[in-house]
Amino acid sequence: MPDGNSLYGPLDPAPDAGWTSAGPRMGFFTDTSVCIGCKACEVACKEWNAVPESGFDLLGMSYDNTGALTANSWRHVAFVEQPVPAGHRTATFAGNPTGGSAGATSAAVAAGTGAATGTTPGVPAGSPDAAARMAGTGSSAAGDGAGPRFLGMPGAAPPGRDTGVETRTDFRWLMMSDVCKHCTHAACLDVCPTGSLFRTEFGTVVVQEDICNGCGYCISACPYGVIDQRRGDGRAWKCTLCYDRLGAGMTPACAQACPTESIQYGPLDELRDRAAQRVATLHERGVPQARLYGHDPTDGVGGDGAFFLLLDEPEVYGLPPDPVVTTRDLPRMWRRAGLAALAMTAAAVAAFVGGSS
């Protein structure tokens, strides 16, 4: 087993790996609440690291045509569509901080529970044509091009037309840019027989492709399913947290390209403090679902070097709810195997001695 990755207990990864002059541990904090799904991180990662293109596959999963983290996708922007009861939405203009509260009618319209009273350009308010258009029975609703049309999903009716607010649903997108977690207790390091995987002075985990023999042990060991073998190549590949850029004092390509600062890079302790403040802010703003994932140093992997702020359960994003380093039980397993071997040897010796006498 390679040095520099204890199987359990508190651990500062870089010093444990033998880096005597290591600085603070560096990592990623991905705030999914401000991710807009632009995929700039995916593109920047591919361009900087010369990651081969993934091809153009229409997976039928909303705008998520990457599908998962693979040897050719070191960043994966997930689009999770969730149905949300429309009646549970908050009125857009209720409690407007810049003025008085919205009127009952406008608040109802904003919440999708009432009819608008505005006018259509060129149509007098209160006229039969205006009423027909608002009800969706006029010529514009029929698709003559003279006005707005409902462009919903096939087979769906305009919101509120044929169903009540209690049964009507809307949806929301949960977007998250996933990446290798750079675990504190990294099982991939424990099982690599060639030393291809190593811990850097920044506390991150990197694959040296020129040493990898393609055995695949790291792939089955990863509790997150991050590492993958490249077709036609056979070697393991994953995010390096732009190790070459870090050595030059630069920001990783994905964080540099992110337009909303959803992906933040820096000293891990600072990122954890910043993330805790962000969660508290979201809770104050009425988002009780906000939570952190992978930030706890006492969890099953000793905390992640790349952690996330989520707006729903981890399973919704395809993340394991309680990841555990898969090599945690190796010492106990080897002890039991040793005891079993001794017992079998003792039994064989006893049988031989007894038979010879």
Side-chain angles (χ1 to χ4, degrees), residues 142-170:
D144 63 357
R149 293 179 298 162
F150 173 67
L151 301 176
M153 297 289 288
R161 187 73 51 77
D162 297 328
T163 59
V165 69
E166 296 81 6
T167 57
R168 180 164 55 85
T169 61
D170 202 344

PDB file of all heavy atoms in Angstrom, residues 142-170:
ATOM      1  N   ALA A 142     -55.046  30.266 -30.991  1.00  0.00           N
ATOM      2  CA  ALA A 142     -55.186  29.204 -31.975  1.00  0.00           C
ATOM      3  C   ALA A 142     -53.981  29.092 -32.876  1.00  0.00           C
ATOM      4  O   ALA A 142     -53.852  28.166 -33.664  1.00  0.00           O
ATOM      5  CB  ALA A 142     -56.438  29.441 -32.811  1.00  0.00           C
ATOM      6  N   GLY A 143     -53.071  30.075 -32.782  1.00  0.00           N
ATOM      7  CA  GLY A 143     -51.832  29.950 -33.524  1.00  0.00           C
ATOM      8  C   GLY A 143     -51.823  30.685 -34.831  1.00  0.00           C
ATOM      9  O   GLY A 143     -51.178  30.247 -35.782  1.00  0.00           O
ATOM     10  N   ASP A 144     -52.550  31.846 -34.926  1.00  0.00           N
ATOM     11  CA  ASP A 144     -52.544  32.578 -36.178  1.00  0.00           C
ATOM     12  C   ASP A 144     -51.369  33.532 -36.275  1.00  0.00           C
ATOM     13  O   ASP A 144     -51.227  34.253 -37.256  1.00  0.00           O
ATOM     14  CB  ASP A 144     -53.862  33.350 -36.343  1.00  0.00           C
ATOM     15  CG  ASP A 144     -54.055  34.401 -35.251  1.00  0.00           C
ATOM     16  OD1 ASP A 144     -53.187  34.467 -34.345  1.00  0.00           O
ATOM     17  OD2 ASP A 144     -55.050  35.135 -35.316  1.00  0.00           O
ATOM     18  N   GLY A 145     -50.490  33.587 -35.230  1.00  0.00           N
ATOM     19  CA  GLY A 145     -49.307  34.420 -35.269  1.00  0.00           C
ATOM     20  C   GLY A 145     -49.562  35.854 -34.871  1.00  0.00           C
ATOM     21  O   GLY A 145     -48.638  36.661 -34.877  1.00  0.00           O
ATOM     22  N   ALA A 146     -50.793  36.200 -34.501  1.00  0.00           N
ATOM     23  CA  ALA A 146     -51.111  37.579 -34.156  1.00  0.00           C
ATOM     24  C   ALA A 146     -50.789  37.903 -32.711  1.00  0.00           C
ATOM     25  O   ALA A 146     -50.851  39.054 -32.315  1.00  0.00           O
ATOM     26  CB  ALA A 146     -52.594  37.841 -34.427  1.00  0.00           C
ATOM     27  N   GLY A 147     -50.476  36.926 -31.897  1.00  0.00           N
ATOM     28  CA  GLY A 147     -50.226  37.172 -30.485  1.00  0.00           C
ATOM     29  C   GLY A 147     -49.469  36.016 -29.872  1.00  0.00           C
ATOM     30  O   GLY A 147     -49.068  35.084 -30.569  1.00  0.00           O
ATOM     31  N   PRO A 148     -49.283  36.069 -28.554  1.00  0.00           N
ATOM     32  CA  PRO A 148     -48.529  35.003 -27.890  1.00  0.00           C
ATOM     33  C   PRO A 148     -49.260  33.677 -27.925  1.00  0.00           C
ATOM     34  O   PRO A 148     -50.487  33.633 -27.892  1.00  0.00           O
ATOM     35  CB  PRO A 148     -48.381  35.525 -26.459  1.00  0.00           C
ATOM     36  CG  PRO A 148     -49.517  36.472 -26.288  1.00  0.00           C
ATOM     37  CD  PRO A 148     -49.729  37.101 -27.627  1.00  0.00           C
ATOM     38  N   ARG A 149     -48.508  32.616 -28.032  1.00  0.00           N
ATOM     39  CA  ARG A 149     -49.079  31.273 -28.020  1.00  0.00           C
ATOM     40  C   ARG A 149     -48.460  30.461 -26.901  1.00  0.00           C
ATOM     41  O   ARG A 149     -47.339  30.733 -26.497  1.00  0.00           O
ATOM     42  CB  ARG A 149     -48.824  30.563 -29.351  1.00  0.00           C
ATOM     43  CG  ARG A 149     -49.560  31.176 -30.529  1.00  0.00           C
ATOM     44  CD  ARG A 149     -49.222  30.401 -31.798  1.00  0.00           C
ATOM     45  NE  ARG A 149     -47.796  30.468 -32.098  1.00  0.00           N
ATOM     46  CZ  ARG A 149     -47.165  29.627 -32.910  1.00  0.00           C
ATOM     47  NH1 ARG A 149     -47.824  28.642 -33.463  1.00  0.00           N
ATOM     48  NH2 ARG A 149     -45.881  29.761 -33.138  1.00  0.00           N
ATOM     49  N   PHE A 150     -49.166  29.461 -26.442  1.00  0.00           N
ATOM     50  CA  PHE A 150     -48.625  28.564 -25.428  1.00  0.00           C
ATOM     51  C   PHE A 150     -47.745  27.532 -26.119  1.00  0.00           C
ATOM     52  O   PHE A 150     -48.172  26.825 -27.026  1.00  0.00           O
ATOM     53  CB  PHE A 150     -49.756  27.873 -24.663  1.00  0.00           C
ATOM     54  CG  PHE A 150     -49.267  26.799 -23.723  1.00  0.00           C
ATOM     55  CD1 PHE A 150     -48.509  27.139 -22.620  1.00  0.00           C
ATOM     56  CD2 PHE A 150     -49.550  25.469 -23.955  1.00  0.00           C
ATOM     57  CE1 PHE A 150     -48.045  26.173 -21.752  1.00  0.00           C
ATOM     58  CE2 PHE A 150     -49.085  24.495 -23.098  1.00  0.00           C
ATOM     59  CZ  PHE A 150     -48.335  24.850 -21.996  1.00  0.00           C
ATOM     60  N   LEU A 151     -46.483  27.473 -25.703  1.00  0.00           N
ATOM     61  CA  LEU A 151     -45.539  26.554 -26.322  1.00  0.00           C
ATOM     62  C   LEU A 151     -45.081  25.516 -25.306  1.00  0.00           C
ATOM     63  O   LEU A 151     -43.900  25.329 -25.060  1.00  0.00           O
ATOM     64  CB  LEU A 151     -44.326  27.325 -26.858  1.00  0.00           C
ATOM     65  CG  LEU A 151     -44.654  28.390 -27.895  1.00  0.00           C
ATOM     66  CD1 LEU A 151     -43.393  29.144 -28.285  1.00  0.00           C
ATOM     67  CD2 LEU A 151     -45.289  27.771 -29.126  1.00  0.00           C
ATOM     68  N   GLY A 152     -46.012  24.868 -24.661  1.00  0.00           N
ATOM     69  CA  GLY A 152     -45.686  23.913 -23.618  1.00  0.00           C
ATOM     70  C   GLY A 152     -45.291  22.559 -24.151  1.00  0.00           C
ATOM     71  O   GLY A 152     -45.097  22.359 -25.351  1.00  0.00           O
ATOM     72  N   MET A 153     -45.141  21.605 -23.237  1.00  0.00           N
ATOM     73  CA  MET A 153     -44.784  20.253 -23.628  1.00  0.00           C
ATOM     74  C   MET A 153     -45.918  19.639 -24.445  1.00  0.00           C
ATOM     75  O   MET A 153     -47.084  20.002 -24.288  1.00  0.00           O
ATOM     76  CB  MET A 153     -44.546  19.404 -22.372  1.00  0.00           C
ATOM     77  CG  MET A 153     -43.384  19.881 -21.522  1.00  0.00           C
ATOM     78  SD  MET A 153     -41.806  19.570 -22.292  1.00  0.00           S
ATOM     79  CE  MET A 153     -41.704  17.792 -22.102  1.00  0.00           C
ATOM     80  N   PRO A 154     -45.612  18.715 -25.365  1.00  0.00           N
ATOM     81  CA  PRO A 154     -46.657  18.066 -26.159  1.00  0.00           C
ATOM     82  C   PRO A 154     -47.708  17.422 -25.267  1.00  0.00           C
ATOM     83  O   PRO A 154     -47.388  16.713 -24.315  1.00  0.00           O
ATOM     84  CB  PRO A 154     -45.878  17.010 -26.950  1.00  0.00           C
ATOM     85  CG  PRO A 154     -44.486  17.549 -27.023  1.00  0.00           C
ATOM     86  CD  PRO A 154     -44.267  18.272 -25.730  1.00  0.00           C
ATOM     87  N   GLY A 155     -48.943  17.689 -25.564  1.00  0.00           N
ATOM     88  CA  GLY A 155     -50.033  17.119 -24.801  1.00  0.00           C
ATOM     89  C   GLY A 155     -50.382  17.891 -23.550  1.00  0.00           C
ATOM     90  O   GLY A 155     -51.313  17.523 -22.827  1.00  0.00           O
ATOM     91  N   ALA A 156     -49.657  18.964 -23.246  1.00  0.00           N
ATOM     92  CA  ALA A 156     -49.921  19.738 -22.040  1.00  0.00           C
ATOM     93  C   ALA A 156     -50.826  20.913 -22.366  1.00  0.00           C
ATOM     94  O   ALA A 156     -50.801  21.452 -23.468  1.00  0.00           O
ATOM     95  CB  ALA A 156     -48.618  20.236 -21.428  1.00  0.00           C
ATOM     96  N   ALA A 157     -51.617  21.298 -21.396  1.00  0.00           N
ATOM     97  CA  ALA A 157     -52.499  22.447 -21.569  1.00  0.00           C
ATOM     98  C   ALA A 157     -51.824  23.673 -20.988  1.00  0.00           C
ATOM     99  O   ALA A 157     -50.922  23.562 -20.158  1.00  0.00           O
ATOM    100  CB  ALA A 157     -53.826  22.187 -20.860  1.00  0.00           C
ATOM    101  N   PRO A 158     -52.224  24.858 -21.443  1.00  0.00           N
ATOM    102  CA  PRO A 158     -51.662  26.081 -20.845  1.00  0.00           C
ATOM    103  C   PRO A 158     -51.874  26.082 -19.348  1.00  0.00           C
ATOM    104  O   PRO A 158     -52.880  25.559 -18.852  1.00  0.00           O
ATOM    105  CB  PRO A 158     -52.464  27.196 -21.532  1.00  0.00           C
ATOM    106  CG  PRO A 158     -52.931  26.590 -22.816  1.00  0.00           C
ATOM    107  CD  PRO A 158     -53.181  25.146 -22.510  1.00  0.00           C
ATOM    108  N   PRO A 159     -50.933  26.623 -18.574  1.00  0.00           N
ATOM    109  CA  PRO A 159     -51.049  26.609 -17.114  1.00  0.00           C
ATOM    110  C   PRO A 159     -52.381  27.152 -16.624  1.00  0.00           C
ATOM    111  O   PRO A 159     -52.809  28.236 -17.022  1.00  0.00           O
ATOM    112  CB  PRO A 159     -49.883  27.494 -16.667  1.00  0.00           C
ATOM    113  CG  PRO A 159     -48.901  27.407 -17.781  1.00  0.00           C
ATOM    114  CD  PRO A 159     -49.710  27.289 -19.032  1.00  0.00           C
ATOM    115  N   GLY A 160     -53.059  26.391 -15.786  1.00  0.00           N
ATOM    116  CA  GLY A 160     -54.305  26.845 -15.207  1.00  0.00           C
ATOM    117  C   GLY A 160     -55.504  26.732 -16.119  1.00  0.00           C
ATOM    118  O   GLY A 160     -56.612  27.115 -15.735  1.00  0.00           O
ATOM    119  N   ARG A 161     -55.325  26.216 -17.348  1.00  0.00           N
ATOM    120  CA  ARG A 161     -56.432  26.177 -18.299  1.00  0.00           C
ATOM    121  C   ARG A 161     -57.412  25.071 -17.988  1.00  0.00           C
ATOM    122  O   ARG A 161     -58.598  25.295 -17.830  1.00  0.00           O
ATOM    123  CB  ARG A 161     -55.857  25.997 -19.716  1.00  0.00           C
ATOM    124  CG  ARG A 161     -56.898  26.098 -20.836  1.00  0.00           C
ATOM    125  CD  ARG A 161     -57.331  27.544 -21.019  1.00  0.00           C
ATOM    126  NE  ARG A 161     -56.176  28.420 -21.163  1.00  0.00           N
ATOM    127  CZ  ARG A 161     -55.453  28.545 -22.269  1.00  0.00           C
ATOM    128  NH1 ARG A 161     -55.748  27.826 -23.334  1.00  0.00           N
ATOM    129  NH2 ARG A 161     -54.422  29.370 -22.329  1.00  0.00           N
ATOM    130  N   ASP A 162     -56.884  23.853 -17.902  1.00  0.00           N
ATOM    131  CA  ASP A 162     -57.760  22.702 -17.727  1.00  0.00           C
ATOM    132  C   ASP A 162     -57.635  22.065 -16.346  1.00  0.00           C
ATOM    133  O   ASP A 162     -58.367  21.149 -16.030  1.00  0.00           O
ATOM    134  CB  ASP A 162     -57.455  21.632 -18.784  1.00  0.00           C
ATOM    135  CG  ASP A 162     -57.718  22.137 -20.188  1.00  0.00           C
ATOM    136  OD1 ASP A 162     -58.636  22.962 -20.364  1.00  0.00           O
ATOM    137  OD2 ASP A 162     -56.996  21.701 -21.107  1.00  0.00           O
ATOM    138  N   THR A 163     -56.697  22.516 -15.553  1.00  0.00           N
ATOM    139  CA  THR A 163     -56.498  21.910 -14.234  1.00  0.00           C
ATOM    140  C   THR A 163     -56.421  22.991 -13.184  1.00  0.00           C
ATOM    141  O   THR A 163     -56.037  24.124 -13.453  1.00  0.00           O
ATOM    142  CB  THR A 163     -55.212  21.077 -14.189  1.00  0.00           C
ATOM    143  OG1 THR A 163     -54.103  21.921 -14.505  1.00  0.00           O
ATOM    144  CG2 THR A 163     -55.265  19.940 -15.200  1.00  0.00           C
ATOM    145  N   GLY A 164     -56.735  22.635 -11.956  1.00  0.00           N
ATOM    146  CA  GLY A 164     -56.632  23.578 -10.858  1.00  0.00           C
ATOM    147  C   GLY A 164     -55.215  23.645 -10.334  1.00  0.00           C
ATOM    148  O   GLY A 164     -54.369  22.807 -10.637  1.00  0.00           O
ATOM    149  N   VAL A 165     -54.981  24.656  -9.510  1.00  0.00           N
ATOM    150  CA  VAL A 165     -53.637  24.851  -8.995  1.00  0.00           C
ATOM    151  C   VAL A 165     -53.208  23.706  -8.087  1.00  0.00           C
ATOM    152  O   VAL A 165     -52.029  23.435  -7.918  1.00  0.00           O
ATOM    153  CB  VAL A 165     -53.554  26.190  -8.246  1.00  0.00           C
ATOM    154  CG1 VAL A 165     -54.359  26.133  -6.951  1.00  0.00           C
ATOM    155  CG2 VAL A 165     -52.119  26.564  -7.952  1.00  0.00           C
ATOM    156  N   GLU A 166     -54.183  22.988  -7.519  1.00  0.00           N
ATOM    157  CA  GLU A 166     -53.826  21.890  -6.617  1.00  0.00           C
ATOM    158  C   GLU A 166     -53.200  20.726  -7.373  1.00  0.00           C
ATOM    159  O   GLU A 166     -52.383  19.990  -6.828  1.00  0.00           O
ATOM    160  CB  GLU A 166     -55.076  21.399  -5.870  1.00  0.00           C
ATOM    161  CG  GLU A 166     -55.702  22.439  -4.945  1.00  0.00           C
ATOM    162  CD  GLU A 166     -56.576  23.431  -5.701  1.00  0.00           C
ATOM    163  OE1 GLU A 166     -56.775  23.217  -6.910  1.00  0.00           O
ATOM    164  OE2 GLU A 166     -57.053  24.402  -5.070  1.00  0.00           O
ATOM    165  N   THR A 167     -53.577  20.529  -8.630  1.00  0.00           N
ATOM    166  CA  THR A 167     -53.074  19.390  -9.390  1.00  0.00           C
ATOM    167  C   THR A 167     -52.040  19.789 -10.429  1.00  0.00           C
ATOM    168  O   THR A 167     -51.305  18.946 -10.932  1.00  0.00           O
ATOM    169  CB  THR A 167     -54.231  18.673 -10.104  1.00  0.00           C
ATOM    170  OG1 THR A 167     -54.927  19.614 -10.943  1.00  0.00           O
ATOM    171  CG2 THR A 167     -55.207  18.103  -9.087  1.00  0.00           C
ATOM    172  N   ARG A 168     -51.951  21.070 -10.762  1.00  0.00           N
ATOM    173  CA  ARG A 168     -51.016  21.520 -11.774  1.00  0.00           C
ATOM    174  C   ARG A 168     -49.606  21.526 -11.196  1.00  0.00           C
ATOM    175  O   ARG A 168     -49.398  21.792 -10.025  1.00  0.00           O
ATOM    176  CB  ARG A 168     -51.419  22.929 -12.238  1.00  0.00           C
ATOM    177  CG  ARG A 168     -50.519  23.505 -13.307  1.00  0.00           C
ATOM    178  CD  ARG A 168     -51.203  24.680 -13.970  1.00  0.00           C
ATOM    179  NE  ARG A 168     -51.612  25.701 -13.006  1.00  0.00           N
ATOM    180  CZ  ARG A 168     -50.815  26.673 -12.562  1.00  0.00           C
ATOM    181  NH1 ARG A 168     -49.567  26.731 -12.964  1.00  0.00           N
ATOM    182  NH2 ARG A 168     -51.260  27.576 -11.717  1.00  0.00           N
ATOM    183  N   THR A 169     -48.633  21.213 -12.022  1.00  0.00           N
ATOM    184  CA  THR A 169     -47.245  21.188 -11.569  1.00  0.00           C
ATOM    185  C   THR A 169     -46.373  22.056 -12.449  1.00  0.00           C
ATOM    186  O   THR A 169     -46.670  22.285 -13.611  1.00  0.00           O
ATOM    187  CB  THR A 169     -46.666  19.762 -11.571  1.00  0.00           C
ATOM    188  OG1 THR A 169     -46.706  19.255 -12.895  1.00  0.00           O
ATOM    189  CG2 THR A 169     -47.442  18.858 -10.626  1.00  0.00           C
ATOM    190  N   ASP A 170     -45.321  22.556 -11.858  1.00  0.00           N
ATOM    191  CA  ASP A 170     -44.272  23.255 -12.569  1.00  0.00           C
ATOM    192  C   ASP A 170     -43.003  22.449 -12.328  1.00  0.00           C
ATOM    193  O   ASP A 170     -43.046  21.392 -11.709  1.00  0.00           O
ATOM    194  CB  ASP A 170     -44.139  24.680 -12.032  1.00  0.00           C
ATOM    195  CG  ASP A 170     -43.476  25.600 -13.037  1.00  0.00           C
ATOM    196  OD1 ASP A 170     -42.864  25.069 -13.981  1.00  0.00           O
ATOM    197  OD2 ASP A 170     -43.565  26.824 -12.866  1.00  0.00           O
TER     198      ASP A 170
END
